[in-house]
Amino acid sequence: MLQRRSDEHWAGRLYMRKISSRITRHLVDAPVSPNQLTWLMMLTGILGGAALLLPGLTGAILAALLIQAYLCLDCVDGELARWRKQTSTTGVYLDRVGHYMSEAALLTGAGLRAADLFKQVGAVNWMWAFLGTLAALGAIMIKAETDLVDVARIRRGLTAVKDSAAVPRASGVATARKLAAGLKFHRLIGGVEASLVLLAAGIADFAHGDLFFTRLAVAVLAGIAMLQTVLHLVSIVLSSRLR
């Protein structure tokens, strides 16, 4: 009953489901609802982005830990809903909003950290905050592009899209999509992956004594987000998902 669909996040398959299932079993009779846990998931993810404003290695470590807690709560709320048979449209909606807000908060926080908001290594450079905001916008747009497929179909009286329709009709685009999926570079802007990238950058900065690696990470994440936003949109339009 605690299983999810095949699109499970790699961290969930690798270790988080083993942790979350144990927590869920203790919450089955607790006075807490799945939707309350989803609200807590959302708050935890946003705090993960805010933690990046803490200077030094502390902020990077705390952000990574909070994102792991966010992932755990993301597993637990669904497990509890399925266990109690309390799945709902509200729960699905809150879950999606939680992912939007948490990933945007993390990438925005990364940009503010790279901008040196509290002048730890020099003057504030707002260009990095702008790049972080671009990365956050890209992460939101990619999710919105996916979700809006079902919105467009339902407004036309069609059913939700099937996975087989995701393959672009043009062979060249299909090949490019398969190559991009194999490289999985787009996953770097996801909450878990981005937090680990920023943690690695924070460790490198701690050893180096500046914000070079955090700024490099923000620039790379912004570039990936912008590129993936365009590629994902083209892939959807050229697939059968809108037909």
Side-chain angles (χ1 to χ4, degrees), residues 181-205:
L183 294 174
K184 300 186 187 305
F185 72 93
H186 59 284
R187 287 190 174 182
L188 290 178
I189 58 174
V192 174
E193 293 84 352
S195 70
L196 295 177
V197 168
L198 293 166
L199 174 59
I203 293 171
D205 284 340

Side-chain angles (χ1 to χ4, degrees), residues 54-69:
L54 296 175
L57 195 53
T58 301
I61 292 174
L62 183 57
L65 291 175
L66 284 167
I67 293 301
Q68 289 298 312

